[in-house]
Amino acid sequence: MIKAVESAAPSREERLKAGIAFCGTCAKLQNSLNQKDGGCLNAANRSFSQTYGCQFTLSLGILNTIRNAVVIMHGPIGCGFCSTANVGMGKAYKQLRDPSASGLVWLSSNLDETDVISGGEKKLKEVIFYADKEFRPETIIVASSCVPALIGDDIDSILDDLQNQVTAELVPVVCEGFKTKLMATAYDAVYNGILKKLTKYPNREEHLTETDLEKQEREYQIKRTVNVFNVGSMSRADELEIERLLTALDLNVNFLPCYSASEDFSYALEAALNVSICGTHDDYYLKYINENFHIPYLIDTIPIGRKNTDRWILKIAERFGLEKEAQALIKKENEILEESLVPFRNNLRGKRVFVSGGEVRIIATAEVVQDLQMELVGLKGHHIDQFVKPVFESLKDVDDIYINIATQHPFEQVNIVNRLKPDVIIIHTGSGNITAKHGLPVFPLYGPSYNYLGYSGTYEIARRLNRIMKNSQFNKNLSKYRALPYKKEWYEKEPFAYIKEK
Amino acid sequence: MSTLIEQPRYACALAAQQTVLAIPNSHPIVHAGPGCSSKAFGFAAFGAGFQGEGYAGGSHVSCTNSSEQEVVFGGENKLRDTITGALKILNGDLFVVLTGCTSDIVGDDSISVAKEFATEGYPVVGAETAGFKGNSYYGHEVVVNAIIEQFVGDIKPQVQEGLVNVFSVVPYQDPYWRGDLEGIKNLLEKIGLKVNILFGESSAGVSEWKDIPNAEFNLLLSPWVGLDTVKLLEEKYKTPFLHYPVFPVGAQETSRFLREVGKFVELDEKKVELVIGKEEKRFYDYFISISDFIAEYRNNLPVELYTVADSTYGIGVSSYLVNELGFIPKGIYAIDDPQNSIQETLNDILLSRGGEFKDTFKVEADGGLIEADIRKKIGESKKAIILGSSWEKFLAEETNNLYTYLSVPLHETVILNKSYVGYTGGLSLIEDLYSSLFKRKTTTSRTQLFTN
């Protein structure tokens, strides 16, 4: 019996007791995490804040990668205009998976003042019919923003009513921005839509006869198949590295949900294990699939850096009784990696590093920093929840190191970085610029165009860091000529002055 | 007015945060859900040739990040906290509160909250810029007028002879705004005027805004955006305005523009003519130097012109290319969604620059329909050049025609101080147009040109 999918995913502050505001040592953070409901983390917020992304933006980040689909943004024109940035690049990334993939179709229902009064249903219908007729996609995904939520458009029932009149499968993704302070709720919102419409057993041709051998062969393949749940900001090169490592254990690998086609969610139900790359992405989906389609899942660490990659591979291997093979693979990979890092070690050793970005990947990246014998001086994470715990185990001596939990909020970042005086900052896109203006070299954390995961990713991190640290003249130049927006008095204040625990 | 929109050409009214950021040392304070401000930044700044956060845009924008609590109980208190924090932390001469859809739908009186701070002497202004109320052009006007009403305020003008306020392209929505405004300022200074350019690198910032009432006249250099503003200033400070609707690109239009400005403020005609003569000599010296290239490669050069831009830039550039370089206009698409009542006027303005433009002009905000129309007109032609955004690049590549960037979104180029305004801008456009010939795969050398 398959459980009905709830009408919309709950916010993560409710479901996971996740938090967005914290500043203190790693020891204090871990202590809070171990308390019931995350201790003081969950309720904390700021009395002054700066802009960050909403779940609608992040949902588009995933939805825009799905192949043979048209995404309709249901809201005023401003909701989603940022995804024009995906038009050219997104096409190129899709084509790395499928050379014939087409680029992004950008469509908005363009709600205006009249619609706010009379409802957006009429316009939504018009766009759906247009998309169906003009582009003939397999799937039409409707992402709905704040305005439809406030004026009471019932997206699910509008789509249900229209389903018989169009050829495409209509998928509702309810992701209004004001619903949650945690951008990461987007992952659940997207999976909620996928669960509603795309997660169903595939329509396989029934064989009139199937020999026992054929049957065994089919079932064996399923028993050896792993679905790896990727993230939109990782690269095709990352996928190839993961695939290389898992196929070395004789496993078949599928990648979902980013850059997959809608039918891939059906085929993925024929697998033995679902594995999350980044724990904070997939639990909503994987738990549902486990309960209703009986595929076990693994949510543990992220394969960044050798310790975490070792652990990730071993955890998967355990599920298939392949520990011995995995140990041998890990040993060999570590030997090769160790040798390849030698040329960079001298230049990097002892340099002070600040790492900022998504909670899971910053902690894993910190392990690479320690591996390279650089000095970790501080951390900053977008949000915090339980999924970071296993990654923390890879770090040593971090109890006294400061960690700031803040989605963007560069005002806190400049204050902290100014105190810690790192030599380099490793940072997620969006708030690195201010540090560049302070004169520091910036190393982008993770990205869709370069390798970061697995053993080869660790080598790439070392190689690129080394190159960036060689000449930071550009940043030094910047710092000489740039006025900074923050007052001198702010740098003298405590960086957490605006965080309130309740 | 379009209903649905495919391939957007402008952002929503909240993108006016970029208008605030374009004033040196000024900060927007956004009262909206999380995501609104960063989306506006993504489209308007990153999407305009990677113009970055500048002084304090991007992730630095103060924001209430309104969530369910503010939607249910109202967000005015959170806005007060956010303004208080911004004033404490940020160095700024002007702070403009901008609202988004959520706060305007739930009915927060954000403008009054801003006024509370203004009354206490802080430079704080409030404007309602919910996305459902209008687009980038609308938001720009709302914000400019709000700053004039609330920050410049009711003061008695002390008119300075030769001082002009310029209202023209919309910052960031015109991807070349920085270079354009600098160029316009330079031109006007050459004929002896003192210029409040108000936005960008060549503006002195808030002091220029405070100086607005003292101008001898206001110059509106755009067909319709900003008309409300100059009318407001006429009413408020009795400042007359000159409305010059064609954006000057190239020698003919720029000289005409300078003459009209000179006449309007009764500048010494001889002095103006001296400047024009000098500029035209320089322009045509350069201009002539492309004649070898054109004579040699005439058969390979694009001749059919498609322009996709707002009515300010689109009309100016098209007029230059048709009247001075001999292009044949095929489709001139205005993407700024002007009111129906002035669409006829826009067409007349274009026709005033040449009969060739008959039946070429279309007002269309839906990029999908523009693409469909160009496809229909272009047919099998390989002689077209499309001036527009990244979308037109894809269309040009697909149809094996040429393209040059003119309007947003532009995600495949980096823009610093490029501009097509004036004499120098006209020359710069020639370089870009004809260089694009060599960016086509089949056309990389002379021999290949001949076999093309």
Side-chain angles (χ1 to χ4, degrees), chain A residues 47 49-52 54 80-81 84-85 87 106 108 110 113 126 130 135 178 410 430 433 437 482 485-487, chain B residues 3 5-8 11-12 34-35 39 53-54 59-61 63 65 67-68 87-91 132 391 394 411:
Chain A
S47 55
S49 61
Q50 291 171 309
T51 180
Y52 53 89
C54 65
F81 49 25
T84 52
V87 173
W106 195 103
S108 165
N110 188 27
E113 206 146 17
E126 188 196 339
Y130 174 76
F135 305 105
F178 71 83
N433 187 2
K437 286 178 195 161
R482 191 67 225 181
Y486 300 101
K487 286 187 175 166
Chain B
T3 48
I5 287 202
E6 185 188 342
Q7 302 174 8
C12 71
K39 286 194 196 84
E53 59 187 38
S59 60
H60 301 281
V61 174
C63 180
N65 296 316
S67 58
E68 267 177 332
L87 291 169
K88 273 195 187 143
I89 293 173
L90 294 164
N91 272 320
F132 62 81
W391 305 104
F394 302 134
H411 290 282

Side-chain angles (χ1 to χ4, degrees), chain A residues 442-458:
Chain A
V442 175
F443 180 83
L445 175 84
Y446 229 85
S449 55
Y450 44 85
N451 183 204
Y452 204 90
L453 297 183
Y455 301 104
S456 62
T458 308

Side-chain angles (χ1 to χ4, degrees), chain B residues 352-430:
Chain B
S352 75
R353 293 305 187 262
E356 300 90 333
F357 287 109
K358 195 169 177 290
D359 299 328
T360 59
F361 184 69
K362 208 167 200 168
V363 169
E364 185 55 72
D366 182 346
L369 295 180
I370 295 175
E371 182 186 326
D373 201 60
I374 294 179
R375 271 185 199 282
K376 206 169 75 190
K377 285 185 176 173
I378 223 166
E380 296 295 307
S381 172
K382 304 276 180 281
K383 292 281 168 217
I385 185 150
I386 315 177
L387 276 65
S389 67
S390 289
W391 305 104
E392 279 65 50
K393 171 194 163 173
F394 302 134
L395 179 59
E397 283 182 341
E398 197 195 311
T399 57
N400 205 14
N401 283 291
L402 302 179
Y403 64 91
T404 293
Y405 294 131
L406 192 62
S407 57
V408 290
L410 287 178
H411 290 282
E412 277 98 14
T413 186
V414 175
I415 297 168
L416 295 176
N417 65 349
K418 179 183 276 299
S419 164
Y420 295 140
V421 79
Y423 302 100
T424 307
L427 296 174
S428 175
L429 182 57
I430 292 179

Side-chain angles (χ1 to χ4, degrees), chain A residues 13 45-57 60 76-89 91 104-113 116 123 126-127 130 134-135 146-147 150-151 176-181 408-411 414 430-431 433-434 437 482-490 493 498 500, chain B residues 1-12 15 27 33-44 47 52-56 58-71 78 81-92 101-103 105-106 131-136 366 368-369 390-391 394 409 411-412:
Chain A
E13 47 268 54
N45 206 342
R46 288 175 174 77
S47 55
F48 169 73
S49 61
Q50 291 171 309
T51 180
Y52 53 89
C54 65
Q55 63 157 337
F56 186 87
T57 327
L60 290 177
I77 189 169
C79 302
F81 49 25
C82 52
S83 59
T84 52
N86 291 337
V87 173
M89 278 192 301
K91 183 177 178 178
L104 178 78
V105 173
W106 195 103
L107 266 180
S108 165
S109 59
N110 188 27
L111 298 182
D112 59 23
E113 206 146 17
V116 168
K123 271 194 178 164
E126 188 196 339
V127 199
Y130 174 76
E134 182 74 17
F135 305 105
C146 293
V147 170
L150 288 170
I151 63 177
E176 67 273 17
F178 71 83
K179 179 176 175 170
T180 174
K181 299 183 189 79
Q408 307 287 39
H409 291 99
F411 81 105
V414 295
S431 44
N433 187 2
I434 187 71
K437 286 178 195 161
R482 191 67 225 181
L484 294 167
Y486 300 101
K487 286 187 175 166
K488 216 173 116 254
E489 303 91 79
W490 167 242
K493 267 195 148 182
Y498 288 90
K500 41 178 193 179
Chain B
M1 165 99 194
S2 298
T3 48
L4 68 90
I5 287 202
E6 185 188 342
Q7 302 174 8
R9 308 302 171 143
Y10 47 65
C12 71
H27 298 277
C36 298
S37 169
S38 59
K39 286 194 196 84
F41 171 69
F43 179 87
E53 59 187 38
Y55 176 60
S59 60
H60 301 281
V61 174
S62 311
C63 180
T64 54
N65 296 316
S66 302
S67 58
E68 267 177 332
Q69 187 168 350
E70 287 73 39
V71 167
K78 189 141 192 206
D81 283 352
T82 308
I83 299 173
T84 309
L87 291 169
K88 273 195 187 143
I89 293 173
L90 294 164
N91 272 320
C101 295
T102 45
S103 48
I105 290 179
V106 304
F132 62 81
K133 287 185 178 161
N135 63 20
S136 309
D366 182 346
L369 295 180
S390 289
W391 305 104
F394 302 134
H411 290 282
E412 277 98 14

Side-chain angles (χ1 to χ4, degrees), chain A residues 242-370:
Chain A
I242 296 292
E243 195 171 335
R244 180 180 75 85
L245 295 169
L246 295 182
T247 47
L249 297 176
D250 204 17
L251 297 171
N252 307 317
V253 186
N254 297 322
F255 288 101
L256 296 167
C258 297
Y259 298 103
S260 50
S262 43
E263 66 269 22
D264 292 342
F265 294 95
S266 288
Y267 297 130
L269 295 174
E270 298 174 336
L273 182 66
N274 286 328
V275 184
S276 204
I277 281 191
C278 178
T280 203
H281 280 242
D282 314 302
D283 77 302
Y284 183 82
Y285 192 69
L286 300 194
K287 282 174 184 159
Y288 184 95
I289 298 290
N290 184 31
E291 280 162 23
N292 297 284
F293 295 89
H294 316 295
I295 302 175
Y297 65 89
L298 173 69
I299 295 179
D300 194 73
T301 190
I302 187 168
I304 292 175
R306 71 169 96 191
K307 271 194 200 170
N308 286 299
T309 305
D310 292 353
R311 175 175 168 140
W312 192 75
I313 291 173
L314 260 182
K315 291 262 175 191
I316 295 170
E318 279 167 14
R319 303 294 183 102
F320 296 93
L322 295 168
E323 294 93 325
K324 235 177 68 195
E325 289 84 344
Q327 292 287 13
L329 174 71
I330 288 167
K331 185 163 172 279
K332 188 75 199 157
E333 289 292 330
N334 272 280
E335 279 167 19
I336 298 169
L337 178 62
E338 186 55 50
E339 200 180 318
S340 73
L341 293 179
V342 171
F344 312 121
R345 285 192 179 277
N346 267 343
N347 189 27
L348 296 175
R349 189 175 296 121
K351 294 274 175 14
R352 296 165 62 83
V353 191
F354 185 89
V355 190
S356 167
E359 52 160 4
V360 173
R361 52 187 86 161
I362 56 163
I363 307 296
T365 300
E367 190 277 318
V368 181
V369 167
Q370 292 190 335

